Amino acid sequence: MPTSAVPVPPSTPLRLRPFRAVRYDADRVGDPSALLAPPYDELGPARLRALRRVPHHIARLLHTRDPQTAARELQRWLRRGVLRRDERPALYLHQQQRGARILQRGLIGDLLLPHDETGAAGRVLPHEGVSTAVVRQRAAHMAGVRAQLEPLLLAYRGKGSTAAQAMEHISRRTPLLVARIGEITHSLWACDDEEDIALVTGDLAGGEALIADGHHRHAACLHLRGDNQPWNSSLALLVDSTAHPLRLSAIHRVLPGLEAEKAARAAAEVARVQSLPGGLRPPEPGELILVGAGQAWTITDPDPQSLDEALAGHPQEWAVLPAAVSDHLLIGHTWSVPDLPGAVRHHHDIDRATAAVAAPGSRSALLLPAMNEDTVWGLARNQVLLPRKSTSFGPKPVAGLALRVPGLS
């Protein structure tokens, strides 16, 4: 894996193309809010089972072990008019709002993926590694269902106000759809005028975007792409993080089989460990916090030799990354937690992570600090991938607002 700067190809525009989205027909299904799926990290097993029992819920297609059955169900929904394809190709302005506060505005479209490493269709920058097994599973699902049901979330950094002004103008029109999921209101507008499309995509000429969410789906497209394949492009939501900064938070680790006091003693052999008698608080940059048995400890200043041993074969830049210290120095190297399903559970919310270890029993939580977005961008540009589950960008889009169904007439 490269760890230093590499020659950057000439910058070319990202190509976000209009497409004819497949959407729920409100005249047929009523308010589509009840048929859209929240981001996966907000779904527990019980809620997911409940959603899959709802007729025509997008979760029935998205969270299935049988893509061929889901493909047949998708076609039935299309025949019955539950889903309809828009008449004209468009880019779709998507807005997430809580009360009067706009959390995010972005463009949903068909993003052309580079055919090779020259960046001929702009640079899409991953920032985290992927699991080969998960990529294959996602590729099998996409190819089996023959559709993309949720967009990649990508951030780009706009350099002017023209695109933002154009989006503001479009958002004053009557939306195609308004849906409410929890506390968030999602609105969708079609942008099918050539002049408007040129204005709202003007900032994409910078030529690069960071994958904020959807690394495995992006890798699945690359796995499937080829001549005359529908996966040379991908359904994507692009957000100008200059105008609408994404929230960047950490992903915390819960270890059900690890006794917290023993973990603290073992960690003291490879890092500085101090108790937190004043009570639990969020971790600051440069520290991890171990929680369990009603106690909390800070973990800082890893021993350089131990860290080198734990990160052997990995980029040197990982030495200062919270997830690398967490997963490699502590969880794998020091605590010898096996890399097996269920041995480590990931929580995007610090309160849920600490609640998971509040009850008596041998379990621990390791809380991580959030990374700096400039650091993520810098490493991605230099092709240094972070350890998996290093970052959580949000707010994430919901699934089912606008589907991409290649080949549908």
Side-chain angles (χ1 to χ4, degrees), residues 257-279:
L258 185 65
E259 196 274 315
E261 291 184 345
K262 290 182 179 179
R265 288 195 296 270
E269 298 178 5
V270 297
R272 184 183 184 191
V273 177
Q274 293 182 300
S275 63
L276 272 175

Side-chain angles (χ1 to χ4, degrees), residues 172-217:
R172 294 172 184 168
R173 303 171 186 169
T174 301
L176 292 175
L177 174 149
V178 176
R180 186 175 176 87
I181 310 294
E183 298 180 349
I184 308 299
T185 299
H186 298 260
S187 302
L188 198 70
W189 294 265
C191 178
D192 56 14
D193 177 81
E194 290 186 6
E195 184 176 346
D196 285 344
I197 290 172
L199 289 173
V200 298
T201 59
D203 278 347
L204 300 185
E208 65 179 8
L210 180 78
I211 300 177
D213 185 65
H215 283 84
H216 286 96
R217 283 173 276 133

